[in-house]
Amino acid sequence: MTRPTSRRAVLTAALAAAAGAGTVASPASAAPVRTPSAAAGASLVDNRFWTTYADWRFGSSSGTRAVAGRRPGLVISAPAGTTDYTDPHTGTTSTWEYATWTSPVHRSAVPATEVIASWNARTPQGTWIQIELRGSYSDGTDTPWYVMGRWAAGDTDIRRTSVDDQTDGRSTVWTDTLSLDDAASGLRLVSYRLRLTLHRTPGTRLTPTVHRIGAMASDIPDRFTVPATTPGIARELAVPRYSQNVHVGEYPEYDNGGEAWCSPTSSQMIIEYWGREPSAEDLAWVKPDLADPQICHAARYTFDYQYDGCGNWPFNAAYAATYKDMSSAVTRIGSLADVEKLVDAGIPVITSQSFLKGELTGAGYGTSGHLMTVIGFTAAGDVIANDPASPSNDAVRHVYARREWENIWLRTKRYDANGAVRSGTGGVCYLYWPTDPSARQRRVLRSLGLA
């Protein structure tokens, strides 16, 4: 259930040391110095996604072209050149044709301390994509071009991977998140551009197709607690129930087996809620005697070979969008009231949170990082969640106290069992929905900047 040790965990340890010295700068939190985005009543999150035919045409292209139709996209037209790529996880060097597309500059409505990119793409065998982001600081200078992911739906051409050790001394990429190193300085990221590089086997007509690319920029204030919200709806969605713990010990090469598969298990529950599932051919590689082989499949195809885990947020969203006519995004949501709007429109939400054993009544465990799905609300406003950290599929449905839930999910700072200050996700979540949502679903998604 926990995200494995990584540079993000190293940062958390550094935060604990800072807390002992009387200063804390969480990677998911803004500074005590208030910026306009952190003012009362202002939005704390900005979403911008490129997905329409016009979006693709307005970018800067070198060898790519926009494709119109029911689901517009970006493809290779004529390669801009060739490049050699040495896969750090296999040691194999291969030559690829490539083409690029760079987005227009997006000036965020929220001068941000964090930016998380996510994308939807189809990458047939023999193709892959690289996603980069370059930000501009509030002092007028720019970040380098940071790699936010090297991604393919499969794992035979390259190993999908995040890239460590990217920093300019003022901002750093922590697996899937670009974070300011010292939010207390008042420095912010005020705008950014995204760059896509599409790769294919030389001499072929293969191409990736990118349907959606964008990012969530945010400035969430430091907080151990959040204001309570008033219950609004009572509804429960019929989401399939899968336990990650059913798969303990299976395929340990993917993050030590099912014990750590909360993210792909949650993703698979929501994918199947929307009526999609892997084919028998897709599952042919899974041992035939295993229950729920689609969970093993999800773990394999969300696995980040650098992070050495299945919990890379954008990789999970990208996996969901490999299914027919599915869209996805990683974002932050400001309150349970917005989650209620989504659920009421028929859209479940996958949330990321950390908590001590005693902070979430009925969970029976504590975690430094865990994904589960919000599928509804009781008449009293409590959260109905499919929690994959359960002993069996039948035990996955839980009802958690509203006040406890919203606090552990939306806070940016918390104490661990030793009393040290650690970071919280500040409302990070995954949203998956069909490319043809209902009018009501589209309105809710649009209100959050996602459609």
Side-chain angles (χ1 to χ4, degrees):
M1 74 184 65
T2 57
R3 294 164 71 90
T5 301
S6 66
R7 296 186 71 227
R8 185 175 285 171
V10 173
L11 177 62
T12 300
L15 297 175
T23 52
V24 178
S26 166
S29 64
V33 177
R34 293 290 183 173
T35 67
S37 65
S43 173
L44 303 176
V45 177
D46 175 89
N47 288 295
R48 174 63 169 106
F49 288 89
W50 288 265
T51 188
T52 68
Y53 181 65
D55 286 337
W56 299 123
R57 286 174 58 84
F58 273 106
S60 173
S61 171
S62 178
T64 60
R65 65 181 174 90
V67 177
R70 187 175 63 86
R71 192 176 189 189
L74 185 79
V75 300
I76 296 174
S77 176
T82 60
T83 186
D84 290 339
Y85 174 65
T86 300
D87 191 315
H89 308 294
T90 64
T92 301
T93 299
S94 301
T95 300
W96 301 90
E97 294 178 345
Y98 73 91
T100 65
W101 178 88
T102 306
S103 76
V105 173
H106 173 63
R107 188 167 185 86
S108 175
V110 177
T113 57
E114 286 196 340
V115 183
I116 302 173
S118 55
W119 56 90
N120 299 173
R122 186 178 65 87
T123 55
Q125 188 170 351
T127 71
W128 59 282
I129 62 174
Q130 176 173 276
I131 301 89
E132 296 170 278
L133 185 151
R134 186 177 193 179
S136 293
Y137 294 115
S138 50
D139 66 3
T141 61
D142 294 332
T143 73
W145 279 105
Y146 288 125
V147 177
M148 303 305 291
R150 293 179 177 135
W151 185 84
D155 53 13
T156 57
D157 294 305
I158 68 162
R159 297 289 194 254
R160 78 188 69 80
T161 185
S162 54
V163 178
D164 282 350
D165 301 317
Q166 297 185 85
T167 183
D168 64 357
R170 297 194 293 172
S171 61
T172 301
V173 176
W174 301 98
T175 303
D176 46 24
T177 304
L178 172 59
S179 256
L180 290 184
D181 294 343
D182 182 12
S185 70
L187 188 69
R188 294 294 184 268
L189 291 162
V190 296
S191 65
Y192 61 83
R193 303 179 80 184
L194 293 167
R195 182 166 67 193
L196 285 166
T197 305
L198 283 61
H199 300 82
R200 75 180 183 191
T201 303
T204 71
R205 298 178 64 85
L206 294 168
T207 182
T209 303
V210 181
H211 294 292
R212 182 181 179 91
I213 182 74
M216 179 278 299
S218 62
D219 183 1
I220 310 298
D222 288 344
R223 58 195 188 191
F224 284 96
T225 60
V226 298
T229 54
T230 302
I233 64 154
R235 184 178 182 187
E236 181 172 354
L237 304 177
V239 176
R241 301 171 188 171
Y242 293 121
S243 163
Q244 68 195 73
N245 290 326
V246 169
H247 304 277
V248 170
E250 297 173 2
Y251 296 103
E253 62 268 36
Y254 303 121
D255 200 4
N256 201 35
E259 182 180 2
W261 289 358
C262 59
S263 192
T265 304
S266 295
S267 288
Q268 197 62 41
M269 284 191 263
I270 305 307
I271 289 163
E272 293 188 24
Y273 164 78
W274 291 115
R276 277 70 166 176
E277 59 185 359
S279 67
E281 182 180 358
D282 292 334
L283 298 177
W285 68 275
V286 182
K287 297 172 186 177
D289 58 333
L290 297 183
D292 305 327
Q294 66 272 36
I295 305 302
C296 302
H297 180 82
R300 175 178 174 179
Y301 292 106
T302 57
F303 188 72
D304 176 346
Y305 283 81
Q306 180 61 43
Y307 181 52
D308 195 25
C310 303
N312 181 305
W313 294 328
F315 284 13
N316 274 263
Y319 167 73
T322 63
Y323 287 87
K324 183 176 174 58
D325 295 332
M326 286 297 294
S327 296
S328 65
V330 178
T331 190
R332 278 189 166 98
I333 292 180
S335 75
L336 278 181
D338 284 332
V339 179
E340 285 178 327
K341 293 175 186 176
L342 287 159
V343 168
D344 201 32
I347 302 174
V349 180
I350 300 174
T351 61
S352 178
Q353 50 272 307
S354 308
F355 51 92
L356 297 174
K357 184 175 181 179
E359 290 186 299
L360 189 61
T361 303
Y365 62 88
T367 173
S368 61
H370 183 52
L371 281 295
M372 55 180 112
T373 71
V374 178
I375 66 167
F377 294 86
T378 68
D382 291 330
V383 172
I384 307 172
N386 276 5
D387 187 346
S390 301
S392 68
N393 290 352
D394 289 342
V396 162
R397 181 186 181 275
H398 287 70
V399 175
Y400 290 127
R402 182 186 188 92
R403 186 69 191 111
E404 293 178 343
W405 177 280
E406 63 187 347
N407 207 54
I408 65 169
W409 175 47
L410 294 171
R411 67 190 176 185
T412 58
K413 297 198 299 184
R414 62 189 177 87
Y415 294 105
D416 68 12
N418 297 316
V421 175
R422 304 295 183 183
S423 62
T425 72
V428 166
C429 64
Y430 318 159
L431 291 176
Y432 307 157
W433 68 93
T435 56
D436 57 345
S438 69
R440 186 180 184 190
Q441 290 167 349
R442 191 180 301 277
R443 283 195 299 273
V444 174
L445 290 165
R446 186 177 292 121
S447 73
L448 298 172
L450 300 172

